Amino acid sequence: MESAALIHLEDRVKSVKRAKTRFYRNPGVRAESLLEAALECFAEEDYESVTIPLIAKKLGVAHSLIYYYFKNKDSLYQSSVLHALDRLMTNYGEVVARHESPAELLSAYLDLNVEMSETLRSLVRIMFVNAGGARDSGPKFIDSFVEDFYESEKKVLADCIRTGVEVGIFACPDPDEMAAFISRNIDGIYFGSFMPHGAPIPAAMRYLKEVVWGLLHYAGDPSANKTSTAKSGR
C-alpha cells in the first residue's frame, strides 16, 4: 500500500535515523546494545536517578565503554528514545507495505502493538515519567519526534480506514477522528498496564480490536481473508 501515509512514515523513519546517529561518538553494533539497556533504565527510573555507572552495571561493562560511544547521559537518553522510535516506525512501515486489505492492515497494526509491547511500554513510561521535567534541552528535542510518531500513526490509521470506506468494507463518517480514537486507546492500554490491576496488554488490545470492528461496522475476519495477501517480493 504505497500511500501518502506510508511515504510520510518512511520519511519520518529516515529523519529519526539521522537524528539518532548525531548523538553517537562512535557508531557500531555495541552502541545498539547499550541503547537497549539504557531504554530499560530510563523506563524504570526518572531521568535524574539514572547514571552512566548504573547502566554500565546493568550491562556488566565498564562505564568508560559507554563514554566511548556517547558523550554524556543526555546524549544516551535522547539516543535511546530515538532508537525505540526507529524500531517502532520501521516495523509499522513494514506492516503497512505488506498488506493490501484495509482490514488486514488494521488488524496487523494492532497485533504489532502487542508484539512490540516491551519497547512501546518502555517508551510510554519514559514519556510519562519525564514529561514536563525541569530539564530544558533534551525533552524538547525528543518531544518533536514523539509528536511525529503519533502523527504518523494517526495518518496510517486514517488512511487505512478511509480506504476501507472507499471499498465498502468499513462505515465511518470521520476516519481522522476514528484514527485519533484508536491511537488514544492504544496509549490508554499502555498507561493502564502500569496500574496494579491493569488488564494484560494482549487481552486489552484484542478487546480494542473488537470495539473498532463494531464501530466500523465490519463483520469479517481479517485473519481468514485470503483474497488479499502480502505483496510479492516482501
Side-chain angles (χ1 to χ4, degrees):
M1 184 180 286
E2 190 65 17
S3 62
L6 176 57
I7 293 170
H8 173 85
L9 186 57
E10 290 173 340
D11 179 65
R12 299 321 299 155
V13 168
K14 291 176 185 175
S15 179
V16 167
K17 287 182 184 295
R18 285 194 300 268
K20 186 173 75 170
T21 57
R22 282 172 52 192
F23 290 103
Y24 287 3
R25 270 182 165 173
N26 297 285
V29 175
R30 196 64 183 273
E32 299 292 305
S33 65
L34 293 175
L35 292 176
E36 293 288 344
L39 187 70
E40 289 183 25
C41 288
F42 287 120
E44 292 167 359
E45 305 283 347
D46 64 89
Y47 177 84
E48 299 302 331
S49 299
V50 177
T51 63
I52 294 294
L54 177 67
I55 297 170
K57 183 178 180 181
K58 185 178 183 69
L59 275 171
V61 300
H63 66 268
S64 58
L65 178 67
I66 297 177
Y67 284 117
Y68 173 77
Y69 289 106
F70 302 98
K71 181 180 179 181
N72 50 37
K73 185 175 77 170
D74 193 64
S75 294
L76 183 58
Y77 167 77
Q78 297 190 78
S79 215
S80 67
V81 175
L82 289 167
H83 176 67
L85 291 172
D86 180 9
R87 288 185 59 201
L88 290 167
M89 294 173 80
T90 297
N91 278 276
Y92 286 151
E94 290 173 356
V95 165
V96 174
R98 203 161 52 229
H99 294 281
E100 294 281 1
S101 161
E104 289 178 0
L105 169 55
L106 186 51
S107 180
Y109 194 92
L110 292 173
D111 289 343
L112 184 61
N113 277 273
V114 176
E115 293 168 24
M116 299 204 67
S117 59
E118 196 171 320
T119 299
L120 264 167
R121 198 169 186 273
S122 292
L123 185 61
V124 169
R125 176 70 175 170
I126 287 171
M127 293 300 101
F128 178 72
V129 169
N130 295 301
R135 296 161 60 243
D136 292 326
S137 57
K140 290 182 180 178
F141 175 80
I142 289 298
D143 283 353
S144 67
F145 284 92
V146 173
E147 288 169 10
D148 274 347
F149 167 72
Y150 283 117
E151 285 305 308
S152 296
E153 177 174 76
K154 285 184 282 189
K155 283 180 184 293
V156 167
L157 292 170
D159 188 70
C160 172
I161 294 165
R162 196 170 288 111
T163 302
V165 172
E166 290 171 359
V167 300
I169 63 172
F170 295 158
C172 179
D174 191 340
D176 292 316
E177 180 54 39
M178 178 61 72
F181 169 81
I182 295 171
S183 182
R184 286 194 300 269
N185 276 274
I186 291 173
D187 271 357
I189 287 171
Y190 280 96
F191 281 118
S193 72
F194 300 126
M195 300 297 105
H197 303 292
I201 291 171
M205 205 66 71
R206 283 195 301 271
Y207 181 72
L208 173 60
K209 190 185 293 190
E210 291 174 6
V211 169
V212 169
W213 292 150
L215 292 172
L216 293 175
H217 303 282
Y218 177 71
D221 179 3
S223 64
N225 181 9
K226 304 299 181 183
T227 60
S228 178
T229 57
K231 289 184 177 179
S232 60
R234 291 197 66 90

